[in-house]
Amino acid sequence: MSRKLDAKIPAGPLAEKWDTHRFEMKLVNPANKRKFSVIVVGSGLAGASAAASLSELGYQVSCFCFQDSPRRAHSIAAQGGINAAKNYRNDGDSVQRLFYDTIKGGDFRAREANVYRLAQVSVDIIDQCVAQGVPFAREYGGLLANRSFGGAQVSRTFYARGQTGQQLLLGAYQALEKEIARGGVTMYSRHEMLELVVVDGKARGIIVRDMLTGELESHAADAVILATGGYGNVFYLSTNAKGCNVTATWRAHKKGAAFANPCFTQIHPTCIPVSGDHQSKLTLMSESLRNDGRVWVPKKREDCGKDPSQIPEADRDYYLERKYPSFGNLSPRDIASRAAKEACDDGRGVGPGGRGVYLDFADAIQRLGRKAIEERYGNLFEMYQRITDEDPYTRPMRIYPAVHYTMGGLWVDYNLMSTIPGLHVLGEANFSDHGANRLGASALMQGLADGYFVIPYTLGDYLATTKLEKVTTDHPEFVAAKAAVEERTKKLLSVNGTRTVDSFHRELGKIMWDKCGMARDAKGLQEALQEIPKLREEFWRNVKVLGSAEGLNQSLEKAGRVADFLEFAELMCLDALQREESCGGHFRTEYQTEDGEAKRDDERFAYVAAWEYAGEGKPPILNKEPLTFENVHLSTRSYK
Amino acid sequence: MSASLHATGKGMNLTLHVWRQAGPGAAGRIVDYAAPDISPDMSFLEMLDVVNERLIAQGEEPIAFDHDCREGICGSCGLMINGSAHGPMKLTTACQLHMRSFKDGDDIWIEPWRAKAFPVIKDLVVDRGAFDRIIQAGGYISAPTGTPQDANALPIPKADADLAMDNAACIGCGACVAACPNASASLFTAAKITHLGSLPQGQPERDRRALAMVAQMDEEGFGGCTLHGECQEACPKGISIDAIMQMNRDFVRASATAVQAKEWSGAA
Ligand SMILES: Cc1cc2nc3c(=O)[nH]c(=O)nc-3n(C[C@H](O)[C@H](O)[C@H](O)COP(=O)(O)OP(=O)(O)OC[C@H]3O[C@@H](n4cnc5c(N)ncnc54)[C@H](O)[C@@H]3O)c2cc1C
Ligand code: SF4
Ligand code: FES
């Protein structure tokens, strides 16, 4: 039976929903806040901002992360910037425009009310971060600098050199440390959540492994917040940090939280290509490079091995300029990525394995001078050279698309609560705001919006209106959850087969990249749905995990994460298979226009696919939340 | 699996001498490993991955080391490579160092950060919790989440904002401590003090911050600073030792103010 998903969108005009809702929500009496305990899993932008803000309000917060310090969460790596509808440039930006751009960028697969709220609170985020001392870039007059980003026609992106994520995270981390010192937050670093505990239908705690001692701990609370980031590492190679995983959200899914739109993943067009089998992750090169670089491949296959300088102008195919004359090299992420794949599939890719295209700065250097290019991109060129040992001033860069971000995630309602009462999900871990494609500089915005400005209100309402019995960690649900984790750990350690965890992860990644990556079709997805269970079966029969459950054991940590990816991957393929349309990052080759563009099907697919776990070995249940658009007109994205 | 792309004859043969230590209290020792056919295109950590895969195949526990972003920004990785923190390349973390910095036949010594305040947990992994506690002592601006004034209501001269950013770039890796003959955490602490102290928002808590963070640094068992400058050489983010001068000035001024305040309140 499929169930009805209630998104709990407040009534009233779009622009007033959040204000009205804030007024109508129940408050927790200040004296009572300290009686409530809240678990926050994750210390990235979403988790750290939530933990600090909730502690400031007076709740007792426990915060968990798997790194050795909350400051190292993956958010630290974001480079480009953060959007906000400040309209400091007077260039026509507004809450309405940011809202519209986000809905359109997401190819009309996100919920209007959530996105509008995101645009509204975006302005407060910048104020809050400046108050914390985040050193955003400034003009000589002392005011904040902006740039345009990701195809937006207005300059609404705030940045801190190429380290925006780092600076925003350090702001949130410092607020978190302040609260730790005050006693409002208890921090558990190097702790990995391995199970969610649900008591009487409500999320009441988690089981974590202390990664230093190996001990399994039970933690009980009145509410649980997951802010555990995205699942891009299901592809093995991605721009995500090595530890990024699906474990926390997948475990919650298996306890009843619906997983929404898992097939919506974003591929970033400008990453440094794979250099060999040893490759462990991919490095993003800022999209800004496409402002001055021209993308091309040889016209003739036999030229691919040649030195690029030996390939005359007439033998080069500047395919983005050719196919998309008006946007050219600045075509959106999904389109630029697919075009690169097509060129390489056609046998015209360059570099190791033929998986690369050139990004050439020769024209720009000639036009603007080497100095100007150095000023604009010096640090990126350096990074490129450090990794590839090639000089991009004299030889075109090689780039290739890579997995970068996951729009899908646990389903949440307007209050950011999942289908399990008391389980809230923030940041990249939820599905809420980006539809089928995320705009550049909007993930940081969403993480901080969720943590600083949404959850402090909506969690209060939940706690004030829900009857919560006292629960302790000797409750049978805790005991059972802990036993299940113990059992699983034992199993992983006892297989003692012949293949390493990484070798399984790589193989899974290859299946996903080939069949559920930049372009998908029913045939490939069906094959993947055969291959994944086989691989999973082999994993549990043939994986080799050394060491013991006690003490630091990085192989064991990895094994647990890969085991979950091996289950989750199947859901991703199922989701991609059922969505018989192309939209945003989800490109089904069967559904394209005559000239190869994505063909959306609003009649049949204007919904959120929220998958419900049905039990071991049973096919998951697809629940649909219909998307209604009352404030925007559904149109076709065109960049020709 | 597919044919190895890097087995192109370019592979180097290296000998690693790696610190192995089973657990926090355990005795450690250097163990030698052959690392054949290493591609110059690998990062240092990818080289360790390859060695680990081979160790696992032989039934030997892999070498534990901290890492996450592999892009030089999270500050997780940290290795003493042939006696230098993060290895031979300037302004480069271990994860961004590539094997082309080495040559065929090289011996490479790999050890954890050595400092009393960074106890070894296992192999190359150390406990850097002391850094978090130094931040807890005062490395923040108290600005609870709310509705502060508009960001542009407070213009900040570009030079000040740039100085703040230069220092805010610290990734908390601990290389400065590892490189320092006294195992001092001065560069790390000073970077935060200078970041926040360069900004108008950071002024109200400036004195308190300097006193509390320096006190915590001492309490954690880091050594004193004698201005050797090794920290600045090792720092992958180019944090300048000027920050330490700034910290010292802030500390002296704050101490004097504190003494005065005590005298005025008659408490002295
Ligand atoms: C290279 C790169 C550049 C980017 N640049 C930009 C940009 O310029 N602008 C932009 O808007 N977005 C950018 N993004 C996207 C953005 O950085 C992320 O989407 C965002 O930071 C995610 O934040 P988060 O708080 O949701 O999760 P994360 O920062 O990923 O944090 C996850 C947290 O959860 C913890 N955790 C995870 N699993 C567990 C578990 N099982 N147990 C315990 N703890 C767990 C981790 O320890 C961590 O603390 C970029 C992404 C990448 C990869
Ligand atoms: S000051 Fe430099 S070396 Fe020290 S922790 Fe910060 S980034 Fe690392
Ligand atoms: S792994 Fe993040 S800095 Fe090296």
Side-chain angles (χ1 to χ4, degrees), chain A residues 53 56 88 127 130 173-174 177 242-243 280 386 500 552, chain B residues 46 53 66 68 70 96 100 122 132 136 145 150-151 192 201:
Chain A
S53 304
E56 285 165 1
Y88 280 162
D127 299 343
V130 166
Y173 156 78
Q174 286 162 201
E177 293 294 342
K242 291 294 284 176
S280 61
R386 190 175 307 154
T500 63
L552 183 68
Chain B
E46 284 169 346
E53 289 285 287
D66 262 327
D68 201 22
R70 299 201 173 193
Q96 287 206 302
R100 62 184 76 93
K122 182 174 183 177
D132 288 331
Q136 275 163 35
T145 308
D150 184 84
K192 189 47 63 193
Q201 308 90 303

PDB file of all heavy atoms in Angstrom, chain A residues 53 56 88 127 130 173-174 177 242-243 280 386 500 552, chain B residues 46 53 66 68 70 96 100 122 132 136 145 150-151 192 201:
ATOM      1  N   SER A  53      22.896  26.617  17.093  1.00  0.00           N
ATOM      2  CA  SER A  53      21.699  27.448  17.280  1.00  0.00           C
ATOM      3  C   SER A  53      20.744  26.837  18.300  1.00  0.00           C
ATOM      4  O   SER A  53      20.154  27.554  19.108  1.00  0.00           O
ATOM      5  CB  SER A  53      20.967  27.625  15.948  1.00  0.00           C
ATOM      6  OG  SER A  53      21.841  28.156  14.976  1.00  0.00           O
ATOM      7  N   GLU A  56      22.122  27.385  21.721  1.00  0.00           N
ATOM      8  CA  GLU A  56      21.924  28.780  22.148  1.00  0.00           C
ATOM      9  C   GLU A  56      20.517  29.003  22.673  1.00  0.00           C
ATOM     10  O   GLU A  56      20.288  29.805  23.572  1.00  0.00           O
ATOM     11  CB  GLU A  56      22.197  29.727  20.968  1.00  0.00           C
ATOM     12  CG  GLU A  56      23.684  29.882  20.663  1.00  0.00           C
ATOM     13  CD  GLU A  56      23.977  30.517  19.299  1.00  0.00           C
ATOM     14  OE1 GLU A  56      23.019  30.860  18.574  1.00  0.00           O
ATOM     15  OE2 GLU A  56      25.158  30.658  18.965  1.00  0.00           O
ATOM     16  N   TYR A  88      22.603  43.644  -3.517  1.00  0.00           N
ATOM     17  CA  TYR A  88      23.574  44.718  -3.230  1.00  0.00           C
ATOM     18  C   TYR A  88      24.042  45.395  -4.511  1.00  0.00           C
ATOM     19  O   TYR A  88      24.540  46.496  -4.493  1.00  0.00           O
ATOM     20  CB  TYR A  88      24.786  44.149  -2.490  1.00  0.00           C
ATOM     21  CG  TYR A  88      24.585  43.923  -1.009  1.00  0.00           C
ATOM     22  CD1 TYR A  88      25.458  43.079  -0.300  1.00  0.00           C
ATOM     23  CD2 TYR A  88      23.560  44.546  -0.303  1.00  0.00           C
ATOM     24  CE1 TYR A  88      25.310  42.865   1.053  1.00  0.00           C
ATOM     25  CE2 TYR A  88      23.402  44.326   1.068  1.00  0.00           C
ATOM     26  CZ  TYR A  88      24.285  43.488   1.733  1.00  0.00           C
ATOM     27  OH  TYR A  88      24.145  43.277   3.087  1.00  0.00           O
ATOM     28  N   ASP A 127      24.150  38.081   6.831  1.00  0.00           N
ATOM     29  CA  ASP A 127      24.268  38.934   8.022  1.00  0.00           C
ATOM     30  C   ASP A 127      24.842  38.135   9.198  1.00  0.00           C
ATOM     31  O   ASP A 127      25.742  38.595   9.906  1.00  0.00           O
ATOM     32  CB  ASP A 127      22.892  39.491   8.420  1.00  0.00           C
ATOM     33  CG  ASP A 127      22.276  40.350   7.313  1.00  0.00           C
ATOM     34  OD1 ASP A 127      23.021  40.776   6.412  1.00  0.00           O
ATOM     35  OD2 ASP A 127      21.051  40.576   7.359  1.00  0.00           O
ATOM     36  N   VAL A 130      28.587  37.326   8.688  1.00  0.00           N
ATOM     37  CA  VAL A 130      29.448  38.490   8.881  1.00  0.00           C
ATOM     38  C   VAL A 130      29.568  38.793  10.378  1.00  0.00           C
ATOM     39  O   VAL A 130      30.651  39.078  10.892  1.00  0.00           O
ATOM     40  CB  VAL A 130      28.922  39.708   8.086  1.00  0.00           C
ATOM     41  CG1 VAL A 130      29.593  40.992   8.549  1.00  0.00           C
ATOM     42  CG2 VAL A 130      29.173  39.491   6.594  1.00  0.00           C
ATOM     43  N   TYR A 173      31.503  26.289  13.003  1.00  0.00           N
ATOM     44  CA  TYR A 173      32.300  25.465  13.922  1.00  0.00           C
ATOM     45  C   TYR A 173      32.680  26.250  15.177  1.00  0.00           C
ATOM     46  O   TYR A 173      32.603  25.750  16.298  1.00  0.00           O
ATOM     47  CB  TYR A 173      33.549  24.973  13.171  1.00  0.00           C
ATOM     48  CG  TYR A 173      34.738  24.599  14.028  1.00  0.00           C
ATOM     49  CD1 TYR A 173      34.782  23.386  14.710  1.00  0.00           C
ATOM     50  CD2 TYR A 173      35.839  25.453  14.131  1.00  0.00           C
ATOM     51  CE1 TYR A 173      35.887  23.038  15.477  1.00  0.00           C
ATOM     52  CE2 TYR A 173      36.949  25.116  14.892  1.00  0.00           C
ATOM     53  CZ  TYR A 173      36.973  23.912  15.571  1.00  0.00           C
ATOM     54  OH  TYR A 173      38.058  23.578  16.324  1.00  0.00           O
ATOM     55  N   GLN A 174      33.055  27.515  14.972  1.00  0.00           N
ATOM     56  CA  GLN A 174      33.428  28.322  16.132  1.00  0.00           C
ATOM     57  C   GLN A 174      32.210  28.572  17.030  1.00  0.00           C
ATOM     58  O   GLN A 174      32.320  28.536  18.257  1.00  0.00           O
ATOM     59  CB  GLN A 174      34.070  29.630  15.660  1.00  0.00           C
ATOM     60  CG  GLN A 174      35.486  29.373  15.145  1.00  0.00           C
ATOM     61  CD  GLN A 174      36.062  30.474  14.265  1.00  0.00           C
ATOM     62  OE1 GLN A 174      36.980  30.233  13.504  1.00  0.00           O
ATOM     63  NE2 GLN A 174      35.516  31.677  14.355  1.00  0.00           N
ATOM     64  N   GLU A 177      31.867  25.387  18.898  1.00  0.00           N
ATOM     65  CA  GLU A 177      32.865  25.242  19.971  1.00  0.00           C
ATOM     66  C   GLU A 177      32.519  26.145  21.157  1.00  0.00           C
ATOM     67  O   GLU A 177      32.722  25.778  22.315  1.00  0.00           O
ATOM     68  CB  GLU A 177      34.271  25.540  19.448  1.00  0.00           C
ATOM     69  CG  GLU A 177      34.800  24.508  18.430  1.00  0.00           C
ATOM     70  CD  GLU A 177      35.026  23.109  19.010  1.00  0.00           C
ATOM     71  OE1 GLU A 177      35.110  22.965  20.247  1.00  0.00           O
ATOM     72  OE2 GLU A 177      35.087  22.141  18.224  1.00  0.00           O
ATOM     73  N   LYS A 242      36.604  11.550   1.058  1.00  0.00           N
ATOM     74  CA  LYS A 242      36.597  10.092   1.061  1.00  0.00           C
ATOM     75  C   LYS A 242      35.586   9.493   2.034  1.00  0.00           C
ATOM     76  O   LYS A 242      35.059   8.420   1.795  1.00  0.00           O
ATOM     77  CB  LYS A 242      37.997   9.563   1.409  1.00  0.00           C
ATOM     78  CG  LYS A 242      39.048   9.807   0.347  1.00  0.00           C
ATOM     79  CD  LYS A 242      38.781   9.044  -0.924  1.00  0.00           C
ATOM     80  CE  LYS A 242      39.139   7.563  -0.785  1.00  0.00           C
ATOM     81  NZ  LYS A 242      38.774   6.842  -2.039  1.00  0.00           N
ATOM     82  N   GLY A 243      35.349  10.185   3.138  1.00  0.00           N
ATOM     83  CA  GLY A 243      34.474   9.598   4.153  1.00  0.00           C
ATOM     84  C   GLY A 243      32.992   9.781   3.897  1.00  0.00           C
ATOM     85  O   GLY A 243      32.168   9.199   4.603  1.00  0.00           O
ATOM     86  N   SER A 280      41.899   7.918  -6.423  1.00  0.00           N
ATOM     87  CA  SER A 280      41.082   7.702  -5.238  1.00  0.00           C
ATOM     88  C   SER A 280      39.957   8.703  -5.132  1.00  0.00           C
ATOM     89  O   SER A 280      38.979   8.474  -4.442  1.00  0.00           O
ATOM     90  CB  SER A 280      41.942   7.779  -3.985  1.00  0.00           C
ATOM     91  OG  SER A 280      42.525   9.062  -3.872  1.00  0.00           O
ATOM     92  N   ARG A 386      49.999  20.981 -10.289  1.00  0.00           N
ATOM     93  CA  ARG A 386      50.466  20.132  -9.205  1.00  0.00           C
ATOM     94  C   ARG A 386      49.959  18.701  -9.401  1.00  0.00           C
ATOM     95  O   ARG A 386      50.664  17.737  -9.165  1.00  0.00           O
ATOM     96  CB  ARG A 386      49.973  20.697  -7.874  1.00  0.00           C
ATOM     97  CG  ARG A 386      50.589  20.036  -6.690  1.00  0.00           C
ATOM     98  CD  ARG A 386      50.169  20.700  -5.396  1.00  0.00           C
ATOM     99  NE  ARG A 386      50.415  22.140  -5.402  1.00  0.00           N
ATOM    100  CZ  ARG A 386      49.717  23.006  -4.660  1.00  0.00           C
ATOM    101  NH1 ARG A 386      48.773  22.597  -3.869  1.00  0.00           N
ATOM    102  NH2 ARG A 386      49.998  24.290  -4.721  1.00  0.00           N
ATOM    103  N   THR A 500      39.531  -6.904  -1.393  1.00  0.00           N
ATOM    104  CA  THR A 500      39.499  -5.776  -0.469  1.00  0.00           C
ATOM    105  C   THR A 500      38.204  -4.990  -0.635  1.00  0.00           C
ATOM    106  O   THR A 500      37.535  -5.063  -1.666  1.00  0.00           O
ATOM    107  CB  THR A 500      40.671  -4.804  -0.736  1.00  0.00           C
ATOM    108  OG1 THR A 500      40.513  -4.271  -2.054  1.00  0.00           O
ATOM    109  CG2 THR A 500      42.009  -5.507  -0.631  1.00  0.00           C
ATOM    110  N   LEU A 552      40.774   1.477  16.659  1.00  0.00           N
ATOM    111  CA  LEU A 552      40.649   2.109  15.350  1.00  0.00           C
ATOM    112  C   LEU A 552      40.822   1.056  14.251  1.00  0.00           C
ATOM    113  O   LEU A 552      41.821   0.355  14.222  1.00  0.00           O
ATOM    114  CB  LEU A 552      41.722   3.194  15.220  1.00  0.00           C
ATOM    115  CG  LEU A 552      41.710   4.021  13.939  1.00  0.00           C
ATOM    116  CD1 LEU A 552      40.483   4.907  13.887  1.00  0.00           C
ATOM    117  CD2 LEU A 552      42.957   4.893  13.848  1.00  0.00           C
TER     118      LEU A 552
ATOM    119  N   GLU B  46      47.543   8.226  -2.313  1.00  0.00           N
ATOM    120  CA  GLU B  46      47.194   7.140  -3.235  1.00  0.00           C
ATOM    121  C   GLU B  46      48.285   6.080  -3.243  1.00  0.00           C
ATOM    122  O   GLU B  46      48.005   4.880  -3.349  1.00  0.00           O
ATOM    123  CB  GLU B  46      46.937   7.684  -4.642  1.00  0.00           C
ATOM    124  CG  GLU B  46      45.569   8.361  -4.738  1.00  0.00           C
ATOM    125  CD  GLU B  46      45.323   9.156  -6.018  1.00  0.00           C
ATOM    126  OE1 GLU B  46      46.279   9.431  -6.768  1.00  0.00           O
ATOM    127  OE2 GLU B  46      44.166   9.520  -6.247  1.00  0.00           O
ATOM    128  N   GLU B  53      46.487  -1.805  -0.053  1.00  0.00           N
ATOM    129  CA  GLU B  53      45.773  -2.873  -0.756  1.00  0.00           C
ATOM    130  C   GLU B  53      46.647  -4.127  -0.817  1.00  0.00           C
ATOM    131  O   GLU B  53      46.162  -5.237  -0.642  1.00  0.00           O
ATOM    132  CB  GLU B  53      45.406  -2.432  -2.190  1.00  0.00           C
ATOM    133  CG  GLU B  53      44.299  -1.382  -2.259  1.00  0.00           C
ATOM    134  CD  GLU B  53      42.912  -1.952  -1.979  1.00  0.00           C
ATOM    135  OE1 GLU B  53      42.359  -2.652  -2.831  1.00  0.00           O
ATOM    136  OE2 GLU B  53      42.418  -1.686  -0.861  1.00  0.00           O
ATOM    137  N   ASP B  66      45.134   9.437   8.785  1.00  0.00           N
ATOM    138  CA  ASP B  66      43.951  10.288   8.687  1.00  0.00           C
ATOM    139  C   ASP B  66      43.918  10.982   7.334  1.00  0.00           C
ATOM    140  O   ASP B  66      44.949  11.444   6.832  1.00  0.00           O
ATOM    141  CB  ASP B  66      43.982  11.369   9.779  1.00  0.00           C
ATOM    142  CG  ASP B  66      43.154  10.989  10.981  1.00  0.00           C
ATOM    143  OD1 ASP B  66      42.121  10.312  10.800  1.00  0.00           O
ATOM    144  OD2 ASP B  66      43.535  11.375  12.107  1.00  0.00           O
ATOM    145  N   ASP B  68      40.697  12.902   4.478  1.00  0.00           N
ATOM    146  CA  ASP B  68      39.293  12.959   4.074  1.00  0.00           C
ATOM    147  C   ASP B  68      39.142  13.667   2.732  1.00  0.00           C
ATOM    148  O   ASP B  68      38.852  13.029   1.731  1.00  0.00           O
ATOM    149  CB  ASP B  68      38.425  13.622   5.155  1.00  0.00           C
ATOM    150  CG  ASP B  68      36.945  13.251   5.013  1.00  0.00           C
ATOM    151  OD1 ASP B  68      36.655  12.218   4.397  1.00  0.00           O
ATOM    152  OD2 ASP B  68      36.080  13.978   5.518  1.00  0.00           O
ATOM    153  N   ARG B  70      41.298  15.103   0.644  1.00  0.00           N
ATOM    154  CA  ARG B  70      42.356  14.876  -0.353  1.00  0.00           C
ATOM    155  C   ARG B  70      42.494  16.047  -1.319  1.00  0.00           C
ATOM    156  O   ARG B  70      42.833  15.874  -2.488  1.00  0.00           O
ATOM    157  CB  ARG B  70      42.147  13.550  -1.092  1.00  0.00           C
ATOM    158  CG  ARG B  70      42.186  12.370  -0.125  1.00  0.00           C
ATOM    159  CD  ARG B  70      42.480  11.066  -0.806  1.00  0.00           C
ATOM    160  NE  ARG B  70      42.672  10.007   0.203  1.00  0.00           N
ATOM    161  CZ  ARG B  70      43.188   8.834  -0.077  1.00  0.00           C
ATOM    162  NH1 ARG B  70      43.551   8.545  -1.293  1.00  0.00           N
ATOM    163  NH2 ARG B  70      43.340   7.929   0.872  1.00  0.00           N
ATOM    164  N   GLN B  96      48.140  16.452  -1.222  1.00  0.00           N
ATOM    165  CA  GLN B  96      48.332  17.101  -2.527  1.00  0.00           C
ATOM    166  C   GLN B  96      49.727  16.872  -3.091  1.00  0.00           C
ATOM    167  O   GLN B  96      50.011  17.244  -4.228  1.00  0.00           O
ATOM    168  CB  GLN B  96      48.092  18.596  -2.387  1.00  0.00           C
ATOM    169  CG  GLN B  96      46.624  18.929  -2.207  1.00  0.00           C
ATOM    170  CD  GLN B  96      46.335  20.324  -2.691  1.00  0.00           C
ATOM    171  OE1 GLN B  96      46.938  21.273  -2.201  1.00  0.00           O
ATOM    172  NE2 GLN B  96      45.453  20.456  -3.643  1.00  0.00           N
ATOM    173  N   ARG B 100      55.694  12.328  -8.086  1.00  0.00           N
ATOM    174  CA  ARG B 100      56.764  12.784  -8.967  1.00  0.00           C
ATOM    175  C   ARG B 100      57.783  13.633  -8.213  1.00  0.00           C
ATOM    176  O   ARG B 100      58.829  13.982  -8.750  1.00  0.00           O
ATOM    177  CB  ARG B 100      56.189  13.526 -10.174  1.00  0.00           C
ATOM    178  CG  ARG B 100      55.416  14.771  -9.898  1.00  0.00           C
ATOM    179  CD  ARG B 100      54.832  15.348 -11.179  1.00  0.00           C
ATOM    180  NE  ARG B 100      53.675  14.588 -11.624  1.00  0.00           N
ATOM    181  CZ  ARG B 100      52.410  14.902 -11.279  1.00  0.00           C
ATOM    182  NH1 ARG B 100      52.168  15.937 -10.512  1.00  0.00           N
ATOM    183  NH2 ARG B 100      51.403  14.191 -11.706  1.00  0.00           N
ATOM    184  N   LYS B 122      47.154   5.522  16.573  1.00  0.00           N
ATOM    185  CA  LYS B 122      47.520   4.288  15.882  1.00  0.00           C
ATOM    186  C   LYS B 122      48.376   4.676  14.677  1.00  0.00           C
ATOM    187  O   LYS B 122      48.025   5.643  13.972  1.00  0.00           O
ATOM    188  CB  LYS B 122      46.253   3.560  15.421  1.00  0.00           C
ATOM    189  CG  LYS B 122      46.529   2.227  14.732  1.00  0.00           C
ATOM    190  CD  LYS B 122      45.231   1.504  14.429  1.00  0.00           C
ATOM    191  CE  LYS B 122      45.518   0.138  13.811  1.00  0.00           C
ATOM    192  NZ  LYS B 122      44.298  -0.622  13.573  1.00  0.00           N
ATOM    193  N   ASP B 132      40.890  21.809  19.099  1.00  0.00           N
ATOM    194  CA  ASP B 132      39.489  22.174  19.323  1.00  0.00           C
ATOM    195  C   ASP B 132      39.333  22.882  20.669  1.00  0.00           C
ATOM    196  O   ASP B 132      38.582  23.848  20.790  1.00  0.00           O
ATOM    197  CB  ASP B 132      38.589  20.928  19.291  1.00  0.00           C
ATOM    198  CG  ASP B 132      38.423  20.356  17.883  1.00  0.00           C
ATOM    199  OD1 ASP B 132      38.494  21.141  16.912  1.00  0.00           O
ATOM    200  OD2 ASP B 132      38.216  19.133  17.757  1.00  0.00           O
ATOM    201  N   GLN B 136      37.759  26.410  21.669  1.00  0.00           N
ATOM    202  CA  GLN B 136      36.717  26.536  22.702  1.00  0.00           C
ATOM    203  C   GLN B 136      37.032  27.627  23.713  1.00  0.00           C
ATOM    204  O   GLN B 136      36.141  28.286  24.233  1.00  0.00           O
ATOM    205  CB  GLN B 136      36.572  25.214  23.477  1.00  0.00           C
ATOM    206  CG  GLN B 136      35.671  24.204  22.827  1.00  0.00           C
ATOM    207  CD  GLN B 136      35.897  22.805  23.398  1.00  0.00           C
ATOM    208  OE1 GLN B 136      36.173  22.631  24.586  1.00  0.00           O
ATOM    209  NE2 GLN B 136      35.791  21.809  22.551  1.00  0.00           N
ATOM    210  N   THR B 145      22.860  33.015  16.890  1.00  0.00           N
ATOM    211  CA  THR B 145      22.011  33.058  15.707  1.00  0.00           C
ATOM    212  C   THR B 145      20.807  33.953  15.994  1.00  0.00           C
ATOM    213  O   THR B 145      20.177  33.841  17.033  1.00  0.00           O
ATOM    214  CB  THR B 145      21.505  31.647  15.368  1.00  0.00           C
ATOM    215  OG1 THR B 145      22.637  30.788  15.308  1.00  0.00           O
ATOM    216  CG2 THR B 145      20.779  31.638  14.036  1.00  0.00           C
ATOM    217  N   ASP B 150      22.276  44.435   9.026  1.00  0.00           N
ATOM    218  CA  ASP B 150      22.609  44.114   7.651  1.00  0.00           C
ATOM    219  C   ASP B 150      24.128  44.052   7.471  1.00  0.00           C
ATOM    220  O   ASP B 150      24.860  44.893   7.996  1.00  0.00           O
ATOM    221  CB  ASP B 150      22.018  45.165   6.711  1.00  0.00           C
ATOM    222  CG  ASP B 150      22.279  44.785   5.274  1.00  0.00           C
ATOM    223  OD1 ASP B 150      21.488  44.000   4.732  1.00  0.00           O
ATOM    224  OD2 ASP B 150      23.306  45.229   4.706  1.00  0.00           O
ATOM    225  N   ALA B 151      24.565  43.064   6.726  1.00  0.00           N
ATOM    226  CA  ALA B 151      26.001  42.826   6.585  1.00  0.00           C
ATOM    227  C   ALA B 151      26.754  44.065   6.100  1.00  0.00           C
ATOM    228  O   ALA B 151      27.867  44.333   6.538  1.00  0.00           O
ATOM    229  CB  ALA B 151      26.230  41.658   5.629  1.00  0.00           C
ATOM    230  N   LYS B 192      44.244  32.254  14.508  1.00  0.00           N
ATOM    231  CA  LYS B 192      42.847  32.522  14.882  1.00  0.00           C
ATOM    232  C   LYS B 192      42.729  33.873  15.589  1.00  0.00           C
ATOM    233  O   LYS B 192      41.812  34.653  15.320  1.00  0.00           O
ATOM    234  CB  LYS B 192      42.320  31.388  15.777  1.00  0.00           C
ATOM    235  CG  LYS B 192      40.832  31.400  16.065  1.00  0.00           C
ATOM    236  CD  LYS B 192      39.951  31.621  14.839  1.00  0.00           C
ATOM    237  CE  LYS B 192      40.052  30.529  13.802  1.00  0.00           C
ATOM    238  NZ  LYS B 192      39.431  30.918  12.498  1.00  0.00           N
ATOM    239  N   GLN B 201      34.214  43.236  14.279  1.00  0.00           N
ATOM    240  CA  GLN B 201      33.326  42.392  15.079  1.00  0.00           C
ATOM    241  C   GLN B 201      34.093  41.684  16.185  1.00  0.00           C
ATOM    242  O   GLN B 201      33.504  41.228  17.162  1.00  0.00           O
ATOM    243  CB  GLN B 201      32.669  41.291  14.235  1.00  0.00           C
ATOM    244  CG  GLN B 201      31.954  41.698  12.981  1.00  0.00           C
ATOM    245  CD  GLN B 201      32.889  41.699  11.791  1.00  0.00           C
ATOM    246  OE1 GLN B 201      33.912  42.388  11.805  1.00  0.00           O
ATOM    247  NE2 GLN B 201      32.549  40.948  10.746  1.00  0.00           N
TER     248      GLN B 201
END
